[in-house]
Amino acid sequence: MGDINIMIKKLLNMVIYTDGGIFSKENKYINLHLIISEFIVYAVIASIFTETQVQVVLYLDGDSTLLKLSNMIGLGFSLIANAIMTKNKTIVIFRKYYVLLSALSTFLLVLINAIIVIDDYLILRFIGTTVVNNSIVTILGNTVSDTINNKFTGTERTIYSSKKNCMSILASFIGVIGAFFIKADLNILLIIEAIIYIIMMLDDLFIFQKFKEQVFLNKESIK
């Protein structure tokens, strides 16, 4: 029994932090963040991604113009978002308003999906989600990376990255298996996508925010 427990702990340690306890004060928020943002979210995304792409292609009748336009717009906004994150002062500001930015991006993405489901206006999905994902969501992602970089240094940062990758790959594998059993129209897939956005926001509000405060405790940038 003891050998089994040791083996289970070693396996879990590949994807989360187990030393000192999975839900210890030090590990609780980072582990919950990994479980939600890297496992649950990636599993659901992987399960609907292929079907969503198929439904979109069918809707566009094979015309890739909208996809190309969306990619071009996305690159432009991504360049701007990353460029403004090259100053320490800007990073501190976005870190401070991380929760508000997360709520704003979730509201916009869910609203866009809701409009598409109601009015069947697919072009809005490409242009709207592209702008939001490559601006606000990119800034949020860079803020997450900044927090992780302040938490882990050197080899510990590599270890975190490896745990995160193991978790997301495992989740994607499970999601792809589930994709074989998912047959839904585009509206249902967009509703599921909206639920994913809400789950990510809840992680930002109640888990990652706590982790961020823990990392920057006693620093002037977090009050």
Side-chain angles (χ1 to χ4, degrees), residues 146-207:
D146 171 64
T147 302
I148 296 301
N149 290 341
N150 277 273
K151 170 65 176 178
F152 303 108
T153 58
T155 302
E156 284 300 316
R157 191 182 301 173
T158 304
I159 291 172
Y160 168 80
S161 179
S162 297
K163 288 179 186 287
K164 183 185 74 170
N165 291 337
C166 285
M167 183 73 89
S168 61
I169 292 169
L170 177 62
S172 297
F173 182 77
I174 293 173
V176 169
I177 293 174
F180 285 98
F181 305 96
I182 295 178
K183 299 295 179 182
D185 62 29
L186 185 58
N187 286 347
I188 296 298
L189 294 171
L190 291 175
I191 291 172
I192 295 174
E193 190 177 88
I195 293 172
I196 296 173
Y197 294 141
I198 293 171
I199 291 173
M200 293 171 68
M201 182 189 69
L202 293 175
D203 172 51
D204 286 340
L205 292 178
F206 301 108
I207 296 173

Side-chain angles (χ1 to χ4, degrees), residues 9 12-13 15-36 148 151-152 156 159-160 163 167 203 207-208 210-211 214-215:
K9 184 176 180 180
L12 286 174
N13 197 51
V15 292
I16 58 177
Y17 291 88
T18 60
D19 292 339
I22 294 174
F23 296 108
S24 65
K25 182 179 179 181
E26 181 69 17
N27 296 333
K28 178 169 62 176
Y29 294 119
I30 188 62
N31 282 340
L32 287 173
H33 174 66
L34 284 169
I35 291 169
I36 294 175
I148 296 301
K151 170 65 176 178
F152 303 108
E156 284 300 316
I159 291 172
Y160 168 80
K163 288 179 186 287
M167 183 73 89
D203 172 51
I207 296 173
F208 191 78
K210 292 291 185 182
F211 176 68
Q214 184 183 70
V215 171

Side-chain angles (χ1 to χ4, degrees), residues 32-168:
L32 287 173
H33 174 66
L34 284 169
I35 291 169
I36 294 175
S37 69
E38 301 298 330
F39 186 79
I40 295 176
V41 169
Y42 271 81
V44 179
I45 288 175
S47 67
I48 68 169
F49 177 78
T50 302
E51 189 66 20
T52 302
Q53 294 300 103
V54 170
Q55 293 289 337
V56 168
V57 171
L58 291 174
Y59 187 94
L60 296 174
D61 294 326
D63 186 358
S64 62
T65 302
L66 188 56
L67 292 172
K68 294 173 183 176
L69 177 62
S70 176
N71 289 335
M72 184 177 67
I73 293 173
L75 288 172
F77 275 90
S78 182
L79 176 62
I80 295 171
N82 282 285
I84 62 178
M85 291 286 284
T86 57
K87 294 183 179 180
N88 182 71
K89 184 178 179 179
T90 308
I91 294 173
V92 172
I93 292 173
F94 286 131
R95 187 194 301 154
K96 182 178 180 180
Y97 294 104
Y98 179 85
V99 169
L100 291 177
L101 288 172
S102 175
L104 175 61
S105 67
T106 303
F107 172 77
L108 292 174
L109 291 170
V110 171
L111 179 63
I112 290 168
N113 278 17
I115 292 173
I116 298 167
V117 170
I118 295 171
D119 289 340
D120 200 28
Y121 195 48
L122 190 60
I123 189 172
L124 180 64
R125 178 186 188 270
F126 285 95
I127 305 303
T129 57
T130 294
V131 170
V132 175
N133 282 323
N134 287 280
S135 57
I136 303 175
V137 176
T138 295
I139 290 171
L140 289 170
N142 286 345
T143 304
V144 170
S145 297
D146 171 64
T147 302
I148 296 301
N149 290 341
N150 277 273
K151 170 65 176 178
F152 303 108
T153 58
T155 302
E156 284 300 316
R157 191 182 301 173
T158 304
I159 291 172
Y160 168 80
S161 179
S162 297
K163 288 179 186 287
K164 183 185 74 170
N165 291 337
C166 285
M167 183 73 89
S168 61

